[in-house]
Amino acid sequence: MNNGGAEAAVAPVGGPQPLEWKFSQVFGERTAGEEIHDVNIISAIEFNRTGDHLATRDRGGRVVLFERTDTQDVT
């Protein structure tokens, strides 16, 4: 996994357009002044070349895997 970074996959000429990932970390509802614990900060993001799988890891050592399930581009 890359430490906090992600690389865009390059599509072959004439193939599908490369996927564009956008990242946003949301901590849910918090009260004013509530601290975000260091273990909950995402420390790594990685995806495979096809963009079908994405993995994230936080500083607490938890890993979350995502799998793409749509088959059509949504505009």
Side-chain angles (χ1 to χ4, degrees), residues 16-70:
Q17 295 294 321
L19 293 174
E20 181 179 324
W21 291 96
K22 295 181 180 179
F23 173 75
S24 176
Q25 186 166 0
V26 179
F27 294 99
E29 294 183 29
R30 294 185 296 139
T31 59
E34 182 180 352
E35 285 189 34
I36 297 172
H37 299 282
D38 192 52
V39 296
N40 294 325
I41 303 293
I42 291 179
S43 60
I45 301 172
E46 186 73 32
F47 56 92
N48 70 334
R49 289 185 181 270
T50 64
D52 291 333
H53 297 93
L54 172 76
T56 63
R57 180 187 59 175
D58 66 17
R59 292 181 180 169
R62 293 175 292 248
V63 174
V64 179
L65 303 174
F66 298 90
E67 180 178 21
R68 183 177 180 178
T69 58
D70 66 325

